[in-house]
Amino acid sequence: MPELPEVETIAARLRLGSGDAPPLLGKTITRARLLWERTLVTPGAEEFLARITNQRFREVGRRGKFLIFTLSPDSLLLHLRMSGDIWLEPQTTEVAKHHRLLLELDDGWRLAFNDARKFGRLWLVADPATVLKDLGPEPLDAGFRPNEFYRRLHASRRQLKPLLLDQSFLAGLGNIYTDEALHMAGLHPCTLSDATSLAQAQKLWHSIQEVVREGIRRNGASIDWVYRGGDFQNHFRVYQRTGQPCPVCGTPIQRKVVGQRGTHICPLCQPEPGEG
DNA sequence: CACGAGACCTGTTCGC
DNA sequence: TGCGAACAGGTCTCGT
C-alpha cells in the first residue's frame, strides 16, 4: 500500500486525530505488546518493550516511506512495506488477526500496527538518522531542483523505473507513483537515465511533483483490502489500467515487467527508447 | 556498477 | 466447486 502520499496521510491523521480518534501527540505509552517479533529490527524484543514504556508522543512525521514517531527520549521508526497500516483504536477493541504491535496509551486508546504480510519493520532508536541516512532527497523538498535531478540522472546509467524506485536516489516513490509520473512525462520506463535530455529530465521532475501532490491531495490510493481512506485510485492514468484507454490518446494501456515489477505504460505516449 | 533471481509473507483473483 | 498459479503500494541479499 504505502508510498509517500499514503504515509503522509497516515502521519497527518495520527498527528491531528481523525474520525473519533484523538490526536496522538501528548499521549504516553502505558504498555507495549509485540505480536510478531520479526517486525522489530532493533533493539531486541525485551529491551524494546521495557524501553518504550512510559515514553510520550511528541511528534509524528515522515521521511520517504518511513513513519517517524518522535518520543521522549527515543524515536520509533516504522516502515509499512507492502501491507502495513497503523491507526488508533479503543483498547476494548478485539485484537485483529494481523495486528503486529500494540502501544496502549494513557487515555484508553491504543496505537495498532496491522500488517497481513509481515513485511513491515520497526526501529526504536536514539537517533533517527542512523536508519534514514541512505535516503535520497524528498520529492517535495524545496532543495530538490530540476537541474540537480538532471545531473544525478546522468551520474548513472540505469533504467528510469528501477532508478526512481531506488530510495537512495529519491525517497518515497513506489510502483504506483513511478508508473504515473513516467506516463505523465511521456517517458518509457526502460529509458536509460543518462540518455535523458535536459528537457525530458525537467518534465519528469515536474511530473513527479504533480503526481505526488495529487496523491497527497487525494489522501493516497486505496487498492484491494489493505488501505482505506484514499481516493487516488479513481484517478490513475495507467496503473492497473491494462487494456483500458490512455487518458491522453485512447490507446489501450499495456502491462509489462520492468525490474521485476508490474509496469503500466501507454505504448504511444511512452515510446520504446532506442528506435524512438 | 547494474541487473536478475530468490527470499520474506499472506491474501485475493484468475484460469482451467 | 475446487485448486493451483499469478499477482500484490517493498526491500534485502546474493550471484553474475
Side-chain angles (χ1 to χ4, degrees):
Chain A
M1 138 201 139
E3 305 180 29
L4 191 161
E6 289 76 28
V7 178
E8 181 68 32
T9 301
I10 290 170
R13 287 178 177 169
L14 289 176
R15 190 188 304 124
L16 305 171
S18 88
D20 295 337
L24 181 58
L25 302 188
K27 314 294 185 202
T28 297
I29 298 165
T30 54
R31 183 166 78 126
R33 298 161 66 187
L34 186 61
L35 286 71
W36 181 251
E37 278 209 22
R38 298 192 58 177
T39 296
L40 196 53
V41 176
T42 190
E46 200 178 331
E47 180 184 342
F48 173 84
L49 296 174
R51 198 163 130 192
I52 201 168
T53 303
N54 294 322
Q55 295 210 36
R56 195 150 76 98
F57 286 92
R58 297 201 167 284
E59 182 54 281
V60 182
R62 177 196 61 75
R63 172 80 169 96
K65 301 174 193 172
F66 286 84
L67 274 168
I68 304 172
F69 299 94
T70 306
L71 309 172
S72 50
D74 292 317
S75 290
L76 178 68
L77 273 59
L78 174 61
H79 197 303
L80 301 168
R81 294 281 180 96
M82 290 289 266
S83 59
D85 198 357
I86 186 165
W87 59 76
L88 277 174
E89 62 188 20
Q91 278 171 35
T92 50
T93 309
E94 188 182 348
V95 175
K97 186 176 178 185
H98 300 305
H99 278 3
R100 310 301 180 199
L101 174 75
L102 300 176
L103 297 178
E104 296 178 358
L105 307 173
D106 54 358
D107 64 345
W109 290 75
R110 72 184 175 213
L111 190 58
F113 170 54
N114 185 282
D115 182 20
R117 291 178 72 179
K118 301 179 175 173
F119 288 166
R121 290 294 179 267
L122 282 166
W123 297 255
L124 183 66
V125 291
D127 178 10
T130 57
V131 179
L132 308 174
K133 60 180 165 45
D134 293 330
L135 288 179
E138 281 290 319
L140 300 185
D141 189 283
F144 175 60
R145 306 308 309 162
N147 285 6
E148 170 71 359
F149 182 57
Y150 172 76
R151 190 190 65 73
R152 295 184 63 233
L153 285 173
H154 280 253
S156 66
R157 185 181 188 77
R158 295 175 62 183
Q159 295 179 328
L160 285 179
K161 169 142 181 177
L163 184 59
L164 293 177
L165 288 173
D166 183 340
Q167 301 297 296
S168 67
F169 180 78
L170 189 61
L173 294 191
N175 215 29
I176 293 176
Y177 294 90
T178 299
D179 278 8
E180 294 293 314
L182 286 169
H183 175 264
M184 193 182 289
L187 287 166
H188 192 281
C190 294
T191 307
L192 291 176
S193 56
D194 67 349
T196 53
S197 67
L198 179 58
Q200 287 176 322
Q202 289 171 336
K203 192 167 183 184
L204 181 55
W205 183 92
H206 280 288
S207 301
I208 292 169
Q209 304 280 307
E210 223 176 301
V211 164
V212 169
R213 287 211 170 90
E214 182 181 3
I216 292 173
R217 192 174 72 242
R218 300 192 185 282
N219 296 315
S222 313
I223 306 177
D224 299 341
W225 77 105
V226 186
Y227 172 80
R228 60 265 176 277
D231 177 46
F232 188 47
Q233 72 280 3
N234 298 323
H235 303 271
F236 289 161
R237 295 155 179 87
V238 289
Y239 188 79
Q240 285 191 346
R241 293 193 62 248
T242 307
Q244 296 177 244
C246 168
V248 175
C249 71
T251 305
I253 299 301
Q254 292 178 0
R255 179 186 184 278
K256 52 189 300 178
V257 175
V258 178
Q260 289 127 255
R261 306 298 303 277
T263 299
H264 310 80
I265 62 163
C266 168
L268 197 63
C269 295
Q270 301 166 270
E272 293 265 356
E275 302 313 311

